[in-house]
Amino acid sequence: MGNGGRTPAAHESGFAAHRAGVDRLLTSYRAIPPDANVRLAKKTSNLFRARARTNAPGLDVSGLTQVIAVDPEARTADVAGMTTYEDLVATTLEYGLAPLVVPQLKTITLGGAVTGLGIESTSFRNGLPHESVLEIDVLTGAGEIITATRDGAHADLFRGFPNSYGTLGYSTRLKIELEKVLPYVALRHIRFHDLRELEAAMGQIIADRAWDGETVDYLDGVVFTADESYLTLGRQTDEPGPVSDYTDMDIFYRSIQHDSQQPKRDRLTIADYLWRWDTDWFWCSRAFGAQNPKIRRFWPKRYRRSSFYWKLIALDHKYAIGDKIEARHGNPPRERVVQDIEVPLERTADFMEWFLREIPIEPIWLCPLRLRDDPANTADRPWPLYPLEPGRTYVNIGFWSAVPTVPGQPEGLANRAIEHKVSELDGHKSLYSDAYYDQDEFAALYYGGGTYSTLKKRYDPDSRLLDLYSKAVQRK
């Protein structure tokens, strides 16, 4: 392995610091009582489901937050599991490199994206974050650090780790692939008046990796209404020129909208492109008034980021602020509908038409994805707990808001309807937020047949970690 453009001493220093962090992690593991579940001692999270409180000490991951080394020749990086993508990208861009998939929010960690959900506008060509992992060190429920690779002794854990959400172990180090990037991204925002035309266009772009004679390196979209939707096509470029700034008064998602039959063009630096959604947490900052020009002008720039909005959300969850405001206006509490789901490309318009009729939420994010073309992926579904089919295109659909509850109806009425529709359309739902499946249905969807139970017995024989159903549905 190369030394990442550093001196040998600096390279060794990175690994020495990492080993010290792992030692602190193991010491904290041993301090957790045998009858207590093992959890992270982590104050922040990008999960949106409530978690049960515990007085037991947690795992000390404070020494696992750094990029250990970058090898620019091999285009790989060794990264501690709790390193945020913000820090990872800042380091790799110094070498003109980036992770193959960079999730939208700065404080998502690499380990979190691999064990949970991670997707972005390169996913139509680069798949999901776990597909660019070359090897991974995992602290198992048994308290052992093991190294898992695609074809090694722990290949079963390597393939079963994605979508396990910390129930099989926690990553301490990941070695990942990187790709070259250019300094700028040229954007085209293309408007559609019909969702089926948009669906067809996505399929064509993914097949050709181009549109109207221009290469497409990045692809995602936004649906505002049934007759106003957009695809945003990005092309890497090193051509100098003016760039837009959506970290100040201008708001990225509003810049997409236009009435012209011709694409609306824009340019961003590669860093600003990768974090274009973070400044306003897509469009969710409007719930806090941060998009009101009179408020935005005085809103400190350092607080225009997803991590700060998350803190506001956490306060709302703790004190039920939103429900109290609704009650003062004579309204019932609102049901949180914060989800990312995937449906096959050919069912995208079907789902969107149903959703726009039944669930009063807009805008909606679209992000197509395909598992990478990998000769090693000979299995029908090579990632058993994240059961997407190789060779099939899916579209991730993200919607993040709340809807009025219906008095007398069961909890999670809208979420349950969405779960049913996604299954009906042969889709899949991520588990970072609320889920309402019964245990048998959940096992059929997320346990990969007997795979999960087998992995649980091998790597967490004493059940020190929560199981996936308890964590994702029962919110333990």
Side-chain angles (χ1 to χ4, degrees):
M1 180 174 174
N3 65 20
R6 307 175 184 178
T7 65
H11 179 75
E12 288 304 317
S13 175
F15 277 96
H18 178 66
R19 286 191 291 270
V22 172
D23 288 343
R24 292 206 299 274
L25 175 75
L26 290 172
T27 298
S28 67
Y29 174 91
R30 298 181 189 113
I32 299 173
D35 59 347
N37 287 123
V38 175
R39 299 172 183 261
L40 297 179
K42 184 171 178 269
K43 294 182 180 180
T44 62
S45 172
N46 283 288
L47 295 177
F48 274 82
R49 43 182 156 78
R51 294 175 293 178
R53 295 184 179 183
T54 177
N55 294 321
L59 294 173
D60 180 358
V61 294
S62 61
L64 302 176
T65 61
Q66 71 282 351
V67 179
I68 303 166
V70 176
D71 186 334
E73 294 181 3
R75 299 184 192 172
T76 62
D78 285 88
V79 186
M82 297 301 296
T83 305
T84 66
Y85 273 92
E86 181 176 22
D87 291 340
L88 174 56
V89 166
T91 300
T92 62
L93 285 183
E94 293 179 5
Y95 302 95
L97 300 170
L100 271 64
V101 180
V102 178
Q104 315 88 340
L105 306 182
K106 291 179 177 179
T107 54
I108 292 175
T109 63
L110 178 60
V114 169
T115 195
L117 175 75
I119 191 170
E120 236 295 324
S121 58
T122 57
S123 289
F124 77 102
R125 58 183 176 85
N126 287 341
L128 298 167
H130 57 263
E131 296 190 89
S132 55
V133 174
L134 300 173
E135 60 184 42
I136 181 171
D137 291 348
V138 178
L139 171 67
T140 68
E144 302 172 329
I145 302 286
I146 61 96
T147 299
T149 59
R150 187 181 299 274
D151 53 5
H154 302 289
D156 57 346
L157 182 60
F158 184 87
R159 293 192 177 280
F161 197 72
N163 216 48
S164 63
Y165 282 87
T167 66
L168 298 176
Y170 295 102
S171 58
T172 61
R173 179 192 63 91
L174 304 98
K175 184 174 183 179
I176 63 169
E177 298 175 71
L178 305 172
E179 68 176 8
K180 284 188 175 181
V181 291
L182 296 177
Y184 306 102
V185 179
L187 300 179
R188 288 177 289 167
H189 305 304
I190 303 172
R191 178 167 179 167
F192 294 86
H193 298 273
D194 181 275
L195 290 170
R196 297 193 179 272
E197 291 180 2
L198 177 141
E199 178 187 287
M202 276 195 291
Q204 191 65 52
I205 293 166
I206 293 164
D208 297 343
R209 302 284 180 92
W211 181 259
D212 198 22
E214 291 185 40
T215 299
V216 176
D217 298 310
Y218 304 97
L219 173 63
D220 66 347
V222 177
V223 176
F224 290 91
T225 65
D227 58 5
E228 185 189 0
S229 57
Y230 301 85
L231 292 179
T232 294
L233 285 49
R235 174 177 57 84
Q236 293 189 34
T237 178
D238 56 6
E239 300 168 6
V243 293
S244 297
D245 178 6
Y246 296 105
T247 65
D248 198 9
M249 293 300 293
D250 293 333
I251 298 169
F252 178 72
Y253 84 99
R254 289 300 182 193
S255 76
I256 293 172
Q257 294 181 277
H258 63 89
D259 295 324
S260 173
Q261 293 184 349
Q262 298 300 315
K264 182 179 180 181
R265 292 185 177 267
D266 200 355
R267 279 168 52 90
L268 295 172
T269 66
I270 179 63
D272 282 350
Y273 175 77
L274 293 175
W275 302 129
R276 68 202 183 283
W277 292 122
D278 190 84
T279 301
D280 284 287
W281 210 4
F282 284 84
W283 30 80
C284 297
S285 68
R286 63 186 180 183
F288 313 111
Q291 294 181 27
N292 182 325
K294 295 179 180 179
I295 297 175
R296 191 178 186 88
R297 185 170 291 106
F298 298 101
W299 193 293
K301 203 168 185 178
R302 67 183 181 277
Y303 294 145
R304 288 189 216 136
R305 52 181 288 141
S306 60
S307 57
F308 182 72
Y309 303 136
W310 202 158
K311 291 178 181 179
L312 298 179
I313 289 287
L315 288 173
D316 176 60
H317 291 174
K318 184 176 182 179
Y319 298 108
I321 297 170
D323 288 347
K324 291 175 181 176
I325 292 173
E326 292 294 334
R328 291 185 64 180
H329 290 86
N331 298 325
R334 294 176 66 83
E335 176 186 349
R336 184 175 60 192
V337 182
V338 178
Q339 302 291 349
D340 279 73
I341 63 95
E342 280 112 23
V343 294
L345 171 65
E346 66 274 15
R347 308 309 298 271
T348 302
D350 292 338
F351 179 84
M352 288 305 311
E353 289 169 354
W354 173 85
F355 186 89
L356 291 169
R357 286 195 311 269
E358 301 294 332
I359 311 293
I361 291 176
E362 56 77 30
I364 301 153
W365 187 57
L366 304 179
C367 187
L369 71 141
R370 288 173 63 91
L371 296 184
R372 293 174 68 185
D373 294 329
D374 185 344
N377 286 347
T378 56
D380 177 47
R381 297 182 186 238
W383 308 99
L385 307 191
Y386 207 95
L388 305 180
E389 296 179 23
R392 192 175 194 183
T393 300
Y394 294 81
V395 176
N396 177 282
I397 303 173
F399 35 91
W400 316 292
S401 190
V403 299
T405 57
V406 179
Q409 293 297 317
E411 179 188 3
L413 185 65
N415 282 281
R416 292 171 193 269
I418 291 166
E419 289 175 351
H420 177 77
K421 193 65 178 181
V422 170
S423 294
E424 177 187 312
L425 298 178
D426 197 21
H428 191 66
K429 168 183 161 175
S430 69
L431 297 176
Y432 71 87
S433 190
D434 300 312
Y436 293 88
Y437 300 104
D438 65 45
Q439 197 154 4
D440 289 342
E441 184 180 11
F442 185 87
L445 290 170
Y446 294 100
Y447 280 4
T451 299
Y452 182 74
S453 297
T454 300
L455 290 170
K456 195 72 172 165
K457 289 177 183 177
R458 181 178 182 188
Y459 295 104
D460 187 24
D462 297 323
S463 298
R464 298 298 308 279
L465 304 168
L466 289 169
D467 69 85
L468 191 55
Y469 185 77
S470 296
K471 195 168 190 178
V473 180
Q474 296 178 325
R475 308 172 193 173
K476 292 185 178 179

